[in-house]
Amino acid sequence: MKKIRLRFAPSPTGYVHLGSLRTVLFDYLLAKNLNGQLILRLEDTDQSRQIQGALDNLLEVCNWIGLEFDEGPHKENQKYGPYIQSQRTDVYKKHAQKLIKNKSAYFCFCTKERLEEMRSEQTKNKQAPKYDKKCRYLSKEEIDKNLQANKAYVIRQKMPTEGEIKVYDELRGEITFKANDLEDHILMKSDGMPTYQLASVVDDHLMEISHVSRGEEWIPSLPKNVLLYQAFSWHVPKFIHFPLILNKDGGKLSKRQGDVFVEDYRNQGYLPEALINFCALLGWHPKGDNEIFTLSQLEKEFSLNSLGISPAIFDIDKLQYFNGYYIRQKSDENLYLLTKPFLVKAKLLSENPKQEEREKCLKLMPIAKERIKTLNDLPFLFSFFFEDIEYEKSLLIWKNLSEKEVADNLKELLEIIEKIENWQLENLEKTIISYLKENNKKNGDYLWPLRVALSGQKFSPSPFENAYILGKLASIKRIKDAISLLSY
Ligand code: GLU
């Protein structure tokens, strides 16, 4: 039986964005579903568009997400290597010569100036710009003469001049292209580097790729690819094009939108589980209503049959929803470890916090869990637990109570609170609420000022939660501070 081999073949032109994360995730899941292998290949033949560190960033992201490759530039197994295209230029040269020899490709000596002139003429005549095939019909003598004179050349693929080209996509079925719409496109550039079209086909063949899976934006390349396989008399692999990802307004999701880099999401405190779940649903349709899928569940459930072709909509609210969901699934200890770097970065916690600081964090976790959407929300929403607070005294005032009344209420509460020995959340709540009830006091008159005294915030967890997390000493100090702020 033929081996099942898939590949992820990014160009190192930038850091990984969510679109490419979706592609590599789908490649990985398809490989798992088909019981095949996943190969990483770096398509770096366009040297001018390269970004330093792109491969490292990709490996780092995949590692963080939990996606593994079976082969690639970073692996020991180099059986089909090298896996970096710029290290394979001889292979492409050799193959381009084969195509020249079997007359599927030709040398083109047209100068840049001639091509520009041709294009502007075509545009003027409202024709689609397309190479006019001048060099396709050069005589052998002319070609030899040009080569001997060391004239710069590119190598172009000879495309059919008439009829239709029928190709097959596993998700869309047969797709027909008119020969007339296809250009004799370039396979080898004048700098001796191959184009994507040549390099990817040669490598997919030599690396024995059985399923070429990539984004829908590559469908226009499909007829060129298939014709190249035929020109080499090679077996054509299966092609799968994942649906486009569009913005909510239907526009194209741009790679250049800085905020879609996986790195940025990670720095904002998104969890890998949430990104995986979110990306999985960009084109994949699970059977039931459940939308929560971990990587290992996806490995079991994802299949080619459940992939769609209509564009997937990128809805950031959904990502937030998943992130909140996975945050709530974390144990307190785990969530503490995950949020710690964010607290340290916000200078609210030291790298090696004291035992009591750590305990404070652990008490905060179950309360924070219900309120945060990203890990970075934690220092943002709860800094008052970690640093001194400052606020306007007007914030302490509940409805039409006077400053004196508020101060008196806080004093009353202080007396109760100082006596509480068992500093547990339930006990704090029970003691204070029963006191208010037994003495016929209105909750708001006491609990609003108490909550503000402890947090300095308009919005925060309940006064009991605040007091519980802060601890007895800090709570008493903050209540006393509030009383002095009211000057009573
Ligand atoms: N190098 C192409 C890219 O960066 C890959 C296309 C493909 O998978 O064939 O998107």
Side-chain angles (χ1 to χ4, degrees):
M1 219 179 74
K2 205 169 159 359
K3 280 182 273 190
I4 305 284
R5 289 169 60 81
L6 286 88
R7 89 300 194 272
F8 176 57
S11 301
T13 53
Y15 279 14
V16 184
H17 56 99
L18 278 198
S20 36
L21 182 62
R22 196 276 310 253
T23 301
V24 66
L25 175 67
F26 280 18
D27 289 340
Y28 171 88
L29 293 171
L30 273 183
K32 283 267 174 262
N33 179 255
L34 299 168
N35 237 330
Q37 296 193 304
L38 181 62
I39 287 92
L40 171 65
R41 181 175 74 226
L42 201 66
E43 302 205 325
D44 62 342
T45 55
D46 189 351
Q47 302 271 324
S48 64
R49 291 176 57 229
Q50 287 209 52
I51 296 277
Q52 212 58 32
L55 176 61
D56 289 343
N57 175 256
L58 170 74
L59 293 174
E60 168 71 29
V61 165
C62 287
N63 185 31
W64 178 63
I65 292 276
L67 302 181
E68 271 197 51
F69 297 96
D70 297 293
E71 289 165 39
H74 60 304
K75 301 290 275 195
E76 224 163 78
N77 175 5
Q78 293 284 312
K79 183 164 173 221
Y80 292 83
Y83 296 88
I84 298 184
Q85 288 189 329
S86 59
Q87 295 170 12
R88 301 171 60 82
T89 44
D90 287 348
V91 178
Y92 311 123
K93 277 187 192 140
K94 210 173 78 197
H95 282 84
Q97 290 305 326
K98 274 191 190 167
L99 294 176
I100 294 270
K101 238 190 218 139
N102 75 15
K103 303 210 170 8
S104 308
Y106 60 90
F107 293 107
C108 169
F109 301 96
C110 290
T111 58
K112 222 166 100 199
E113 292 72 31
R114 173 172 189 274
L115 294 174
E116 268 162 24
E117 215 171 282
M118 179 196 79
R119 284 207 181 102
S120 67
E121 190 68 17
Q122 288 168 334
T123 320
K124 215 168 74 197
N125 298 334
K126 303 223 159 34
Q127 292 167 322
K130 193 165 114 183
Y131 180 57
D132 62 4
K133 305 192 176 118
K134 177 171 179 264
C135 292
R136 182 165 172 160
Y137 305 106
L138 291 181
S139 67
K140 186 167 181 323
E141 290 71 42
E142 278 171 300
I143 297 170
D144 288 344
K145 203 176 80 200
N146 284 340
L147 289 177
Q148 264 157 29
N150 266 337
K151 265 201 178 177
Y153 64 80
V154 299
I155 295 179
R156 290 183 184 269
Q157 186 176 357
K158 257 188 210 171
M159 302 298 269
T161 49
E162 55 186 29
E164 289 177 335
I165 295 109
K166 291 190 189 302
V167 294
Y168 195 84
D169 169 82
E170 296 301 307
L171 300 177
R172 295 163 184 80
E174 192 173 82
I175 310 177
T176 306
F177 291 85
K178 281 201 197 102
N180 203 28
D181 291 340
L182 301 172
E183 180 175 40
D184 280 0
H185 63 100
I186 298 175
L187 298 174
M188 281 298 257
K189 293 179 276 186
S190 53
D191 62 1
M193 283 301 231
T195 56
Y196 163 73
Q197 309 298 343
L198 178 70
S200 68
V201 165
V202 168
D203 285 349
D204 284 340
H205 174 74
L206 296 179
M207 295 180 183
E208 295 189 56
I209 300 302
S210 59
H211 294 68
V212 174
S213 47
R214 57 190 180 186
E216 178 172 327
E217 63 276 21
W218 295 98
I219 287 185
S221 291
L222 190 49
K224 303 177 196 173
N225 300 155
V226 172
L227 288 165
L228 259 187
Y229 279 99
Q230 290 168 353
F232 282 119
S233 306
W234 288 341
H235 170 79
V236 182
K238 288 190 186 341
F239 283 92
I240 300 149
H241 292 88
F242 305 133
L244 290 178
I245 306 175
L246 301 180
N247 280 325
K248 251 177 160 177
D249 61 9
K252 215 176 148 231
L253 185 71
S254 150
K255 275 191 198 189
R256 287 177 190 87
Q257 275 172 282
D259 63 342
V260 296
F261 289 138
V262 175
E263 181 99 347
D264 289 335
Y265 285 112
R266 186 180 179 176
N267 291 338
Q268 285 168 36
Y270 283 90
L271 297 174
E273 295 94 319
L275 287 167
I276 289 173
N277 203 145
F278 175 73
C279 284
L281 297 176
L282 293 173
W284 173 67
H285 304 285
K287 281 189 210 97
D289 290 336
N290 174 31
E291 288 202 314
I292 299 288
F293 292 93
T294 61
L295 188 58
S296 61
Q297 287 165 331
L298 288 167
E299 286 174 14
K300 289 189 202 97
E301 308 225 359
F302 190 93
S303 74
L304 199 52
N305 300 338
S306 43
L307 274 180
I309 57 168
S310 47
I313 304 298
F314 184 93
D315 179 358
I316 184 84
D317 296 340
K318 198 124 200 206
L319 177 58
Q320 285 214 345
Y321 163 78
F322 286 132
N323 211 48
Y325 172 82
Y326 286 106
I327 283 176
R328 291 194 294 281
Q329 306 308 305
K330 297 283 174 200
S331 68
D332 297 343
E333 178 69 34
N334 252 341
L335 190 59
Y336 162 62
L337 293 175
L338 286 165
T339 47
K340 193 178 149 202
F342 291 85
L343 288 165
V344 171
K345 196 166 162 220
K347 300 204 167 38
L348 297 174
L349 201 64
S350 67
E351 283 284 358
N352 298 305
K354 290 200 206 100
Q355 181 65 8
E356 57 189 72
E357 284 294 284
R358 203 184 101 87
E359 275 166 15
K360 190 201 296 182
C361 290
L362 286 172
K363 283 184 189 169
L364 168 60
M365 292 308 145
I367 291 156
K369 237 181 240 184
E370 300 303 321
R371 290 176 166 82
I372 60 174
K373 291 267 164 45
T374 68
L375 302 178
N376 202 26
D377 285 347
L378 192 114
F380 187 73
L381 291 176
F382 301 116
S383 59
F384 64 88
F385 284 121
F386 301 91
E387 58 186 7
D388 291 343
I389 52 174
E390 257 178 60
Y391 55 94
E392 295 291 322
K393 69 175 168 186
S394 56
L395 198 58
L396 287 163
I397 309 300
W398 175 248
K399 295 207 170 149
N400 42 18
L401 293 189
S402 68
E403 289 185 11
K404 178 159 186 339
E405 282 167 320
V406 169
D408 286 344
N409 291 356
L410 283 174
K411 281 182 196 164
E412 219 176 310
L413 284 173
L414 187 59
E415 250 182 73
I416 315 289
I417 285 173
E418 278 177 327
K419 281 193 219 115
I420 298 179
E421 295 288 334
N422 173 13
W423 203 261
Q424 292 303 320
L425 183 55
E426 301 75 38
N427 189 47
L428 284 166
E429 180 160 2
K430 205 181 85 207
T431 313
I432 296 171
I433 292 286
S434 344
Y435 169 80
L436 297 177
K437 213 166 172 190
E438 280 157 23
N439 293 284
N440 265 333
K441 308 285 189 188
K442 283 194 202 149
N443 280 355
D445 293 352
Y446 287 77
L447 298 184
W448 173 272
L450 178 60
R451 199 187 55 68
V452 173
L454 295 171
S455 67
Q457 305 284 315
K458 195 165 177 187
F459 304 105
S460 79
S462 73
F464 319 111
E465 290 169 320
N466 291 344
Y468 166 64
I469 294 166
L470 283 168
K472 189 167 175 178
L473 278 184
S475 299
I476 290 176
K477 180 177 180 307
R478 287 192 182 186
I479 299 168
K480 285 184 176 165
D481 287 347
I483 297 168
S484 358
L485 186 65
L486 294 162
S487 325
Y488 283 97

